[in-house]
Amino acid sequence: MTNRRNFLKNAGIAAAAAGPAMLAAPYVKAQDKKITWRLQTYAGAALAEEVVRPCVNAFNKAANGEMEIELYTADQLVPTGELFRAMQAGTIDAVQSDDDSMNSPVDIKVFGGYFPFASRFSLDVPTLFYQYGLDKIWEEAYDEVGVKWLSAGAWDPCNFSTNKPIKSLEDLKGLRVFTFPTAGKFLTQFGVVPVTIPFEDVPVAMQTGEIDAIAWSGITEMKTSGWEEVTKYFLTNNISGGWCGSFFANGDRWKEVPEHLQQLWRVCMDSSHYRRLHWYWGGEASLRAGGSSLELTTIPAEEWKTVEEKAYAFWDEIAAQSERNAKVVKILKDYQAVMEKAGSPYR
C-alpha cells in the first residue's frame, strides 16, 4: 500500500508538472539503454508467484540486461478496475488480467474472465483463440484503443466457496458474492448479490460477513491465496471451466521493444500459459481428492442444467450488443457444436 501511495503521489506530481500535452506524448527510450517495464497483474502476491512470476523471471534472465520487467501484484500500483486506463495512458507499461475486471473500454470485455459456460475445460480457451479466430478479434478491438493485445490463455474454473453448504439453486439466493463483473451480472437472476472489493480484502470481508461467498476461482486458488482458511465449503458445479485472461501492453511501449525481445516475451508468455494448464489441472484434482480442508458440495446435474440453459439465453443478449460480440458468440456456438458432436472426452 505504501508503494502504491508513493507511486500515485509521484505520478501526480509529474503529471502536474508536465501538463496534458507532454503526458500524452509517446515515450522514447534511447536504444543503448536498458528498457524497463512495469507490469501489474490481477493476481495477489501469493498467486502471482505461480501464474506470472516464473515467466517474468525467465524473460529477465534471457533478455541479458537489454530489458527488465518489474512485476507488481493486485492493486499494488493502481486498483484492478483502473488497470486498463493506466496502461493506455502509459502510467504502467503492461498488464496481465482479464478484460472484464480491468474495465476495458471495448465491447468484447464481457468475454474476459468467466463468460458463463464459454469453456468447459481449460484447453477450450487457447483452442478458441488460436484455432477458431478469437485472437484476430481481440487484436482488432484493442488496436482501436491504442493497446497491444499480446496473448490469451486459461486459468482455473469458477466455483463457489462459501461458509454455508450449497446443495440447490435455492441456497444461492441472497448470497453476497465476490466475483467478476459479467459473471456477477449473470448470477443475479439466481438471487446472487455481486460485491466488488479489492482482491487483498477478501479474507477479512469473509470473516466480517461483508461477503458470504467467493466465486472467483477454483479450489487451487482458494488454497494458494489463503482463502481456504476463511471458508468451509466448495461447490463442485462451476459456471466456467476456464478463466480467460490475457497479457497486454501500451501500444507505444510495445513498438519501442526490439523485435528479438518482442519474440522472447511472446515465448515467455506461452510458457506461462503452458505452466498454468498443468498447475491448475493437477491442483484442482488433488485438492478435491482430499488435499483441501474444504468440504465439497454439489447441486444435482438436472437442477444445474437450468443454469446452463440460462447461460445460452445470456449469450444471445450479449450478441445483440454489437456486431463484434455477435461474431464471438457465433464462434462459441460453433465450437460448442463441434465439441458436443465429438463426444467424450471433449463433452
Side-chain angles (χ1 to χ4, degrees), residues 127-148:
T127 306
L128 281 162
F129 271 84
Y130 301 110
Q131 289 192 24
Y132 281 73
L134 292 191
D135 58 334
K136 299 298 186 293
I137 295 175
W138 260 244
E139 286 176 354
E140 174 191 80
Y142 282 99
D143 283 348
E144 293 174 1
V145 292
V147 163
K148 182 65 177 178

Side-chain angles (χ1 to χ4, degrees), residues 107 201 265 284:
D107 45 9
D201 291 352
W265 182 228
E284 296 294 308

Side-chain angles (χ1 to χ4, degrees), residues 42-47 74-75 114 156-157 159-163 177-180 197-207 211-234 280 292-294:
Y42 79 98
L47 183 60
D75 304 314
Y114 292 119
D156 53 338
N159 299 78
F160 283 83
S161 298
T162 65
N163 278 330
V177 181
F178 172 65
T179 190
F180 291 83
I197 56 175
F199 183 93
E200 298 294 348
D201 291 352
V202 170
V204 173
M206 282 294 292
Q207 291 173 311
I211 57 174
D212 307 303
I214 302 166
W216 181 268
S217 68
I219 198 168
T220 307
E221 282 196 17
M222 290 300 298
K223 188 173 187 68
T224 304
S225 298
W227 297 349
E228 180 188 57
E229 299 172 8
V230 295
T231 50
K232 297 178 181 178
Y233 301 96
F234 181 82
Y280 278 118
S292 171
S293 62
L294 297 179

Side-chain angles (χ1 to χ4, degrees), residues 56-103:
V56 168
N57 287 350
F59 175 84
N60 289 341
K61 184 176 182 179
N64 198 31
E66 294 183 64
M67 181 171 173
E68 181 181 4
I69 296 176
E70 298 173 350
L71 179 63
Y72 297 88
T73 57
D75 304 314
Q76 195 172 1
L77 296 181
V78 297
T80 297
E82 297 175 17
L83 275 176
F84 180 88
R85 294 178 64 185
M87 173 176 54
Q88 187 182 42
T91 307
I92 57 177
D93 307 291
V95 166
Q96 181 203 45
S97 178
D98 69 282
D99 321 63
D100 199 22
S101 58
M102 75 172 185
N103 200 25

